[in-house]
Amino acid sequence: MERSAQRLGRALVVVVDDRVAQGEQEDNIGPLVTELLEEAGFIVDGTVAVAGETVDIRNALNTAVIGGVDVVITVGGTGVSPRDVTPDATAGVLDRPIPGIAEALRASGLAAGAVDAGVSRGLVGVSGSTLVVNLAGSRAAVRDGMATLTPLVAHVIEQLSGLETA
């Protein structure tokens, strides 16, 4: 595929899961996100697992932004339970929200039957020159979310880098 040969930029995956962060459970969602990002043409710098704590999430996002990645995808912690604080942490990092992409992720997830995606409070926006995306934590939400997100990310990255499309 033409787009796969062309590199879109660098990405980082942040898995928000207490058990994964503490080494009690194997990460089975980070590798999926990495695979989908690489298929889309990104170079993935790695996957970071953090506990569902606002400070931990915010630190991971700030590290990604300072590190100069083009996109950082968080997975998990976007629901309505008291432990779901990813959107709250993300809001403190964003310079400019992009609500249209967040709504597209919710709508497509709900249409695909990924209930957690449909009720996600996830945010999407820009911090510095990095696109920050919150995805719900199920495999279905990730698969659908990445399918919806991939063509949009290329456009946002081109705008952030000042490149013009032909």
Side-chain angles (χ1 to χ4, degrees):
M1 196 170 168
E2 284 275 325
R3 191 168 14 146
S4 293
Q6 169 188 4
R7 290 290 169 203
L8 291 177
R10 291 175 41 229
L12 182 74
V13 178
V14 177
V15 175
V16 180
D17 187 301
D18 293 335
R19 291 167 294 185
V20 172
Q22 294 168 359
E24 297 172 5
Q25 181 177 320
E26 186 177 336
D27 175 18
N28 62 5
I29 205 75
L32 173 62
V33 179
T34 296
E35 176 185 336
L36 295 171
L37 283 166
E38 288 173 344
E39 285 177 5
F42 285 93
I43 297 167
V44 180
D45 285 359
T47 300
V48 177
V50 298
E53 300 291 340
T54 302
V55 171
D56 294 343
I57 298 164
R58 191 172 292 152
N59 285 344
L61 293 174
N62 283 327
T63 298
V65 171
I66 292 167
V69 299
D70 297 293
V71 63
V72 58
I73 308 281
T74 70
V75 184
T78 64
V80 297
S81 83
R83 290 290 298 155
D84 291 329
V85 297
T86 302
D88 309 293
T90 301
V93 173
L94 296 180
D95 297 325
R96 292 170 289 163
I98 308 175
I101 296 176
E103 292 304 324
L105 292 170
R106 278 187 274 282
S108 67
L110 198 54
V115 176
D116 62 330
V119 299
S120 171
R121 298 182 309 115
L123 301 177
V124 177
V126 175
S127 180
S129 61
T130 300
L131 179 65
V132 180
V133 179
N134 299 154
L135 292 179
S138 72
R139 292 181 73 79
V142 166
R143 286 191 185 283
D144 182 74
M146 290 301 296
T148 301
L149 187 63
T150 298
L152 302 172
V153 169
H155 178 73
V156 172
I157 289 173
E158 287 172 359
Q159 287 191 330
L160 290 173
S161 66
L163 298 176
E164 303 244 56
T165 57

